[in-house]
Every structure is written in C-alpha cells, then in structure tokens.
Amino acid sequence: MRIGAFGVAGVVVAAAGAGWAVYAKLSGNITPDEAAAAELARYEKERPTSLVKGARNILLIGSDSRQGDNARYGRDSGTERSDTTILLHLSAGRGSATAVSLPRDLMVNVPGCRRPDGSRSAPRFTMFNQAFQVGGSACTIRTVEKLTDIRVDNHVVVDFHGFKEMVDAVDGVEVCLREPIDDRAAKLRLPAGRVTLDGEQALGYVRARKTLGDGSDTERMERQQRFLGALVNKVRSNDVLLNPVKLYPVLDAATSSLTTDPDLASLRGLYELVRGLRDIPMKRVQFLTVPRESYAYDANRDQLVEPEAERLFERLRTDTPVVVAGKVPRGSAPLRPTDARDGSYGDSHPGPFTGPAVTVSPPPTFRGNTAAEDTCE
C-alpha cells in the first residue's frame, strides 16, 4: 500500500553523508517510471500549470499488484490496481504538508489512456481507481489533474511488499485501538489499547474494512491517515534518524519499494525535494479526505461535495493554508492580514501588525487530523 511513501520524506535527507557505494546501491533501488513520463509528455498541452513557485504536488499511489511476493494477497488479474491514492501538497516555504486522500470509489471522468498492451481506452465516467487499472500512474495523474486542476509535479508508487518492509525497518509503528480487532480476512487479531504493529499487521490494519468501524471506505481512509501520521512520527524520531544501524535498513526498504517519475528516481532527486521537510512541525503535517458523499445514483459509490471540494482544490492550487479539525466548526477564526503562503497562519510572525485594517474572510475548515495528534487521547 502506498502509505509508506510519505514516511520516506523524513529519512531521505540523512543519506547525503553516505558513502558512494551505499548511495549508488540505494539510488539504484528506485525504479524510474519512464512509460508514465512519455505518456504525460504526450498530453503536456492539456495539463494544468503550476501557479506558485516552489510549491510541490506529489501523487502517492498504493499499488495492489498481486505479482511476485504479493501473490499471497489474491489472484493476479493481469492489471494494476490501487485502493489508496493521496495528493500530497508541500507549501512553497515548506511550512506545511497537506495529504488529501482520494476515494477509490469516487465517480470521475477518466480520460482515454494508453493500456499496458499499447492500445488506448475510450474516455468514460467511472470509479476513480479504474484509472490506475486501465492506464497505470499516467492515467491516474491525468484523471487527478482534470478533477482538481492541480498540476501533479511528481508521483510515487509503492506496493504491499514495500509498505511492509518500511514498517518493519522502523521496528514497527504504534497505533491506538479503541476496541479489539478480529478480522479473519485480514488475518488480524489485536487487543484494544496501544499496540505496536509489524509490517504484516500494519498492512492488514490499513487494508481491513468490513469488520472495523462502520465498514466504510471513508473510515478506512481516516485510519490510513492516522497510521501515516504515526509512521511519520516514528521515522522522524531521533531513534531512527540518528542511528546509522537503524537508518540504513529504513533507506533500503524505502527506496526498494519506490517507482517514481524520472526526476525523483535517485537519492539526489528525493533529497532535493524533501530536504526541508524535517523542519515542518508535526501539527502542520495534515491529513484529510476530499469532501465526499454517497453518489446520487449508487450509494456504494462516492461523489464530490461542492463547493467544499473546489474550495479545497483552490487552496492547494494557490498554496493557501488549509485548516483541518476532527470536527468541523460552523465558524472559524479569520486569518490575519500578515498571513503568508507558508502554512504559518500568522503565528510565526511576531510583533504588532501596523498596516491598515483589512477584513479577511474566515478560511474553510475541513475534517481531518495532524501527525501531532495522539489517537489514544
């Protein structure tokens, strides 16, 4: 599952001091997605343009491929599958990181895409995850760009095996369970309370659906987001980053699990992208699901809630701070006129504001959580 990809950001920066042999080995682990790059170049004229210099949008895709080591999780249908897609926005000043989950069952317009056999599909209105199944990462990127009008600068794909290896490399990730879990399909039995999950358990935890909570995909995405926050915390802890014995396995697992666009397909490329991420406060690492509701013609499918979804997309396009809360209040405090496009909301700009009075509308608040939150509290 793609979820381990965000955790890579916290560890890649430490590779700068590694020896050349280690650097070459880790860099060679990453698979460049040349086919996607060629397909996207074909449609360059129709793609959105970036509006804010320095801001980056990375599409994180969890591949459910059943090939190779992943055959144990089901039959290989011969096509790529994805149940997890996250649009990660990094602010220009690297003052915040916002990860937006896109539901697999969201009804969207999927453009005509190149299939693995070289043929081309016809445009269709269908579930979002069909884009990856039909045309892989390039088709998914084009679908996201048409849906959001946000330029996707980079993409990362990780499969089941890579996700498990990443979790095991950090010696497991702690989560808080409000009640015991007994899910035969996910082969998962866990007690209530604080539990440290190994790679196999973590995979079952983020994939399980029908026996946990209300069984909805929305709740599963929220569970995935909270796990991501816990993983980011673990990777960024001094216990991992400052311990070479622990750091190398993390880097090896992280890079081995990645298929990326050519610009990111090296440690240098990843380092250039994420070198400032260690300074982002955990409360500015945010997770949310795009505003959605049941599709009008099929309760088992989703559709966007408007105008809320467009408000979110506009803030990401323009690198404007996004506010998240566990419960969305009816009103929220207005931004100060001194607010910058760095996710700071004015609280990092000390001193009185001496300019003319300016009326600023309260920013919309979206349901979500931050990596700083403790799910046991």
Side-chain angles (χ1 to χ4, degrees):
M1 190 87 28
R2 162 45 266 157
I3 342 225
F6 190 75
V8 175
V11 296
V12 170
V13 291
W20 173 250
V22 173
Y23 176 91
K25 198 270 184 185
L26 296 176
S27 192
N29 285 344
I30 307 169
T31 302
D33 198 347
E34 301 287 358
E39 179 72 354
L40 292 173
R42 176 188 178 100
Y43 293 96
E44 179 59 37
K45 291 184 179 180
E46 70 178 39
R47 299 183 64 194
T49 57
S50 298
L51 300 182
V52 180
K53 183 179 180 180
R56 306 293 288 177
N57 297 297
I58 304 99
L59 198 65
L60 312 176
I61 303 172
S63 170
D64 284 4
S65 169
R66 264 59 172 189
Q67 296 181 357
D69 292 333
N70 297 325
R72 58 188 293 189
Y73 300 108
R75 183 176 59 87
D76 180 13
S77 64
T79 60
E80 296 184 272
R81 293 181 290 186
S82 174
D83 281 346
T84 303
T85 304
I86 296 175
L87 181 62
L88 173 63
H89 175 78
L90 307 178
S91 66
R94 297 301 185 265
S96 67
T98 302
V100 181
S101 294
L102 300 173
R104 64 176 188 174
D105 295 336
L106 186 67
M107 298 300 293
V108 299
N109 289 304
V110 176
C113 296
R114 184 183 185 279
R115 297 189 181 96
D117 64 4
S119 65
R120 293 198 168 268
S121 64
R124 57 186 298 200
F125 183 67
T126 184
M127 292 188 301
F128 173 64
N129 69 345
Q130 289 294 306
F132 193 71
Q133 184 169 338
V134 170
S137 52
C139 192
T140 302
I141 291 168
R142 292 179 59 217
T143 299
V144 169
E145 291 184 339
K146 288 181 178 296
L147 179 71
T148 66
D149 199 28
I150 295 172
R151 173 80 177 207
V152 174
D153 302 295
N154 306 100
H155 69 276
V156 180
V157 183
V158 172
D159 66 13
F160 290 163
H161 182 72
F163 173 68
K164 291 191 303 177
E165 290 293 309
M166 182 69 180
V167 174
D168 284 335
V170 297
D171 294 330
V173 174
E174 184 182 80
V175 297
C176 185
L177 307 178
R178 299 193 180 281
E179 56 187 38
I181 295 177
D182 187 358
D183 189 314
R184 292 185 179 181
K187 300 178 180 179
L188 194 64
R189 295 189 65 182
L190 298 169
R194 294 186 183 275
V195 182
T196 297
L197 306 181
D198 62 24
E200 192 70 40
Q201 291 171 323
L203 180 61
Y205 179 70
V206 299
R207 294 188 65 224
R209 174 174 159 181
K210 295 182 179 179
T211 61
L212 273 69
D214 61 10
S216 69
D217 198 46
T218 297
E219 184 167 297
R220 179 170 65 169
M221 285 186 290
E222 291 178 355
R223 193 183 332 123
Q224 292 172 351
Q225 292 162 6
R226 293 189 180 279
F227 184 88
L228 258 178
L231 176 60
V232 170
N233 265 313
K234 185 64 179 286
V235 170
R236 285 183 50 164
S237 70
N238 289 343
D239 189 41
V240 174
L241 291 178
L242 300 183
N243 187 333
V245 176
K246 291 185 177 182
L247 180 59
Y248 178 79
V250 172
L251 288 170
D252 192 31
T255 53
S256 295
S257 68
L258 300 184
T259 297
T260 77
D261 58 277
D263 287 345
L264 289 186
S266 68
L267 282 183
R268 180 181 179 84
L270 288 172
Y271 172 76
E272 289 299 320
L273 176 66
V274 304
R275 59 184 172 181
L277 294 186
R278 284 193 301 178
D279 296 327
I280 299 178
M282 287 292 93
K283 65 180 180 179
R284 302 288 192 220
V285 179
Q286 305 175 126
F287 303 91
L288 68 151
T289 299
V290 65
R292 45 73 55 200
E293 63 187 0
S294 294
Y295 179 49
Y297 301 102
D298 186 343
N300 294 318
R301 303 289 179 261
D302 293 327
Q303 65 184 24
L304 295 180
V305 174
E306 298 293 3
E308 287 82 355
E310 176 52 32
R311 287 174 181 162
L312 173 61
F313 298 151
E314 181 180 13
R315 297 185 84 80
L316 297 179
R317 280 195 298 268
T318 58
D319 199 27
T320 306
V322 172
V323 180
V324 301
K327 293 183 179 180
V328 179
R330 292 186 178 181
S332 53
L335 296 175
R336 289 175 50 186
T338 50
D339 284 347
R341 286 174 171 168
D342 63 356
S344 63
Y345 306 100
D347 59 2
S348 62
H349 301 284
F353 175 66
T354 59
V358 180
T359 300
V360 181
S361 299
T365 300
F366 302 93
R367 180 180 175 182
N369 62 280
T370 74
E373 295 178 24
D374 187 336
T375 57
C376 281
E377 296 179 354

